[in-house]
């Protein structure tokens, strides 16, 4: 849907202030960054600070921890399977390392596990590679330019972005392994944007003190994902991929060590038992929970399944009291609602502009501060732009980029978004985009160490399902980095465990029996079932006509 | 602001999903329209943002012999459209030991001899939802120009629609993937600064600096953070900071 006349009129105001803003940008005159105290004040406008948005958990190892209702609903639910129905003596698959999740972290883990000599099975809910990794646009951070940057500055930026609460050992690993990850990807044939002599292009991201964001045009995650997926497919003799078959429960053994999982074939509705010497949990995040009703940038399967399974198996959760809202999600046209507009637009010079054509925030504040500023501008100050569907947005003035860096830059540097908008009849090199914060990242997750290990022996964690690296707020480009760094580490650690430490032979679902009992004793309504697997977008009118159907969570069953 | 499937005031239009008629709001994408109609995706849905290639859709318009294609998450419904989803299209993918390759065009020819079955009909390009010039990159490869193929195919989301319409029965998107990897690893110069940095880290150059940061209390960390020197937005590649401890 192209911009209607009302919005075209408002765009004229943006145009009237554009030349002057471009001039200021050229002279490096920027809106000053907020001080740490001002940031704190601004964050009161952030959804994380709405106490009514959360409640204390009633069950499990992190009982009483206050997190979002939507996440509590899953963690307080009972299992999708009745443990009594499952015959654990019948094993359908057996492997050294089971990787749950086929995104960037899971695939990196599988590759490294295979290199260490393990037989690997990747169990994935959708297709191999259907993950948020594929959707990451802007870039991957790493301090690779020694004349101006080092892991030291990267570390400082990560800690500052995360409000100094990050787990230091995890951050240290993240920043010191970063350059090697880029080197690894380069050797696998990942096409990062480069100068003719091979020097990598790098730009700023929100909260970075140095330009250390490496990218592959504006589809960095897709380029990384398709490269490592292709590599995994070459190792088909050792890496088996089972698609459309999410894990729904972990299996422990008689010693309480992780020893496999129950898989669910979503098409035939059969369950399968998979026995493994160690397990890597790499299921990603939870945007599809639509916390506090926000739209999301996340892919279809981002429903926190790994957190549910790991938590039931005894791993505490951390940092889940914060959720990352990406400052710039599409709020118009509605067909593209929630889709991410990469921070790279701001890194390349595009201003955020209110209804009066004024810039109101420095575009490179950390994401939570940036999102809070946009929400405040729309709700607190009434300076937002009303959309035809009754929402509010802020202009992201993309045409500035062509004025700053030459005509054709937007089309060349942002081909993905350029095409997307062109389909809706909008030329983003001429007209600005209308944006609003969108649910983007699960800052917290399962607790784990810098070796990838969790409290449950044999269970390793990698990627968004784990918490601690990013503290209470992640900086741009550190997620693509995190999945590669910790994916590789988890793959290696899980293989060493499989080879040297795995013991026990009898599979067990006793932990699920105990958990279900705890849920029942807490008096929680029995209709809650998790993991969710897929979100529920069936309309209420359709549901009303499904006379013989009932919904158990997102599961559709006969009455 | 939950993902809305229906705007109350939207005009309803008829569409045919795999032959069956449903009335859906006119502003929806095919994906949201199918969910509105009561379908729940298992296959044929991925990122919902036009980058994963999971939701290839084929459709026809009334009284029009042409076959149209698109991504279900990106294409807006039209009145009376007949649509079918193609959640999986079979195509052969060669396996290879990437570390053994060197970037010679002959390596692609050996792995994908069907490359030369291309008759340049251009059906692949016409069908591509990402506007990739598919036939052009296949032509470039026939000439042995891997670099050009890698560049032209860069926006490929591997949905497989090209392969579905190819009369030479090429798996274009798999061939392009190989070309891009060869380009990235063997035909583009490797980053020298990257090698240096990795070597410096391995030699322990930053261990002490990082150790100090890790041992810092929050107050000191905040002080260092606030005082850190910012690289200006407009700085060139050669910019160096004034303060160079821990570099």
């Amino acid at each position: 849907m192209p911009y209607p006349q009302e919005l075209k009129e408002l765009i004229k105001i943006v145009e009237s202030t554009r030349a002057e803003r471009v001039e200021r940008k050229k002279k490096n005159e920027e809106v000053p960054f907020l001080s740490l105290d001002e940031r704190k004040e601004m964050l009161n406008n952030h959804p994380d600070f709405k106490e009514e948005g959360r409640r204390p958990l009633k069950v499990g190892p992190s009982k009483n921890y206050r997190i979002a209702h939507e996440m509590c609903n899953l963690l307080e639910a009972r299992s999708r399977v009745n443990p009594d129905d499952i015959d654990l003596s019948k094993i359908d698959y057996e492997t050294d390392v089971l990787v749950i999740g086929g995104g960037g972290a899971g695939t990196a883990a599988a590759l490294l596990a295979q290199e260490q000599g393990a037989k690997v099975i990747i169990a994935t809910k959708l297709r191999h590679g259907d993950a948020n990794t594929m959707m990451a646009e802007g870039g991957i951070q790493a301090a690779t330019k020694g004349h101006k940057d080092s892991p030291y500055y990267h570390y400082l930026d990560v800690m500052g972005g995360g409000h100094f609460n990050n787990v230091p050992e995890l951050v240290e690993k993240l920043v010191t392994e970063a350059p090697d990850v880029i080197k690894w990807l380069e050797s696998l044939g990942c096409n990062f944007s480069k100068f003719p002599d091979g020097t990598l292009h790098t730009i700023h991201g929100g909260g970075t003190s140095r330009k250390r964001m490496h990218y592959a045009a504006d589809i960095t995650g897709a380029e990384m994902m398709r490269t490592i997926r292709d590599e995994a497919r070459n190792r088909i003799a050792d890496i088996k991929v089972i698609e459309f078959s999410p894990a729904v429960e972990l299996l422990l053994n008689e010693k309480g060590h992780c020893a496999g999982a129950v898989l669910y074939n979503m098409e035939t509705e059969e369950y399968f038992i998979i026995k493994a010497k160690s397990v890597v949990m790499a299921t990603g995040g939870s945007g599809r929970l639509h916390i506090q009703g926000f739209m999301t940038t996340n892919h279809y399967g981002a429903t926190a399944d790994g957190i549910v399974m790991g938590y039931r198996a005894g791993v505490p959760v951390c940092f889940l009291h914060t959720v990352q809202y990406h400052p710039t999600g599409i709020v118009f046209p509605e067909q593209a609602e929630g889709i991410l507009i990469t921070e790279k637009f701001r890194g390349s010079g595009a201003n955020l502009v209110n209804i009066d054509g004024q810039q109101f925030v420095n575009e490179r504040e950390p994401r939570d501060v940036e999102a809070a500023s946009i929400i405040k501008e729309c709700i607190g100050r009434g300076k937002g732009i009303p959309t035809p569907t009754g929402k509010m947005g802020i202009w992201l003035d993309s045409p500035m980029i062509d004025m700053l860096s030459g005509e054709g830059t937007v089309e060349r540097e942002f081909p993905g978004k350029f095409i997307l908008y062109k389909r809706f009849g909008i030329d983003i090199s001429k007209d600005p985009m209308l944006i609003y914060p969108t649910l983007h990242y699960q800052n917290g997750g399962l607790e784990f160490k810098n070796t990838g290990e969790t409290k449950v022996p044999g269970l390793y964690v990698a990627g968004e399902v784990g918490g601690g690296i990013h503290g209470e707020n992640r900086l741009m480009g550190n997620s693509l980095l995190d999945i590669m760094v910790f994916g590789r580490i988890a793959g290696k650690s899980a293989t060493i465990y499989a080879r040297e430490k795995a013991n026990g032979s009898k599979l067990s679902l006793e932990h699920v029996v105990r958990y279900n009992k705890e849920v029942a004793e807490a008096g929680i309504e029995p209709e809650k079932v998790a993991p969710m697997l897929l979100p529920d977008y069936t309309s209420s009118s359709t549901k009303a006509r499904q006379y013989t159907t009932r919904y158990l969570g997102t599961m559709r069953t006969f009455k | 602001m939950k993902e809305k499937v229906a705007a109350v005031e939207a005009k309803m239009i008829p569409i045919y999903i795999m032959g069956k008629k449903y009335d859906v709001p006119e502003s929806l994408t095919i994906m949201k329209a199918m969910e509105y109609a009561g379908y729940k995706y298992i296959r044929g849905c991925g990122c919902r943002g036009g980058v994963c290639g999971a939701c290839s859709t084929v459709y026809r318009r009334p009284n029009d012999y042409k076959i149209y294609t698109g991504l279900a998450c990106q294409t807006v419904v039209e009145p009376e459209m007949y649509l079918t989803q193609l959640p999986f299209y079979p195509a052969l993918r060669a396996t290879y030991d990437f570390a053994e390759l060197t970037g010679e065009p002959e390596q692609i020819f050996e792995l994908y001899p069907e490359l030369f079955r291309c008759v340049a009909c251009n059906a692949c390009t016409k069908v591509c939802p990402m506007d990739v010039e598919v036939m052009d990159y296949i032509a470039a490869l026939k000439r042995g120009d891997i670099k050009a193929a890698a560049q032209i195919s860069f926006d490929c989301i591997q949905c497989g629609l090209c392969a579905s319409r190819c009369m030479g029965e090429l798996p274009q998107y798999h061939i392009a993937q190989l070309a891009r990897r060869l380009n990235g690893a063997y035909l583009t110069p490797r980053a020298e600064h990257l090698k240096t940095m990795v070597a410096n880290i391995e030699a322990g150059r930053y261990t002490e600096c990082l150790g100090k940061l890790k041992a810092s209390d929050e107050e000191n960390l905040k002080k260092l953070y606030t005082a850190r020197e910012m690289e200006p937005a407009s700085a060139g590649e050669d910019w160096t900071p004034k303060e160079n401890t821990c570099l």
Side-chain angles (χ1 to χ4, degrees), chain A residues 37 42 72 75 174 220 265 282 318 339 399 406-407 428 460 465 490 502:
Chain A
D37 286 340
M42 182 60 81
C72 284
L75 294 182
L174 183 80
T220 314
N265 179 332
C318 60
I339 290 177
E407 202 148 314
I428 56 169
Y460 294 78
V465 71

Side-chain angles (χ1 to χ4, degrees), chain A residues 11-48:
Chain A
I11 289 174
K12 286 181 185 159
I13 304 175
V14 181
E15 286 167 346
S16 72
T17 62
R18 186 175 294 146
E20 191 197 331
R21 286 184 283 108
V22 167
E23 277 316 304
R24 280 210 300 270
K25 201 97 198 171
K26 280 184 179 162
K27 284 189 249 165
N28 268 328
E29 289 172 12
E30 300 202 50
V31 172
F33 283 104
L34 299 180
S35 68
L36 289 178
D37 286 340
E38 287 167 329
R39 276 188 190 175
K40 211 171 159 191
E41 169 88 34
M42 182 60 81
L43 284 175
N44 287 327
N45 298 289
H46 194 278
D48 280 354

Side-chain angles (χ1 to χ4, degrees), chain A residues 328-339:
Chain A
T328 55
I330 299 177
V331 67
F332 180 89
E334 201 198 357
Q335 300 97 312
E337 183 183 277
I339 290 177

Side-chain angles (χ1 to χ4, degrees), chain A residues 51-63:
Chain A
E51 268 313 308
E52 65 272 26
R54 48 183 143 184
R55 68 168 190 261
L57 267 172
K58 284 188 190 155
V59 291
S62 302
K63 199 170 165 174

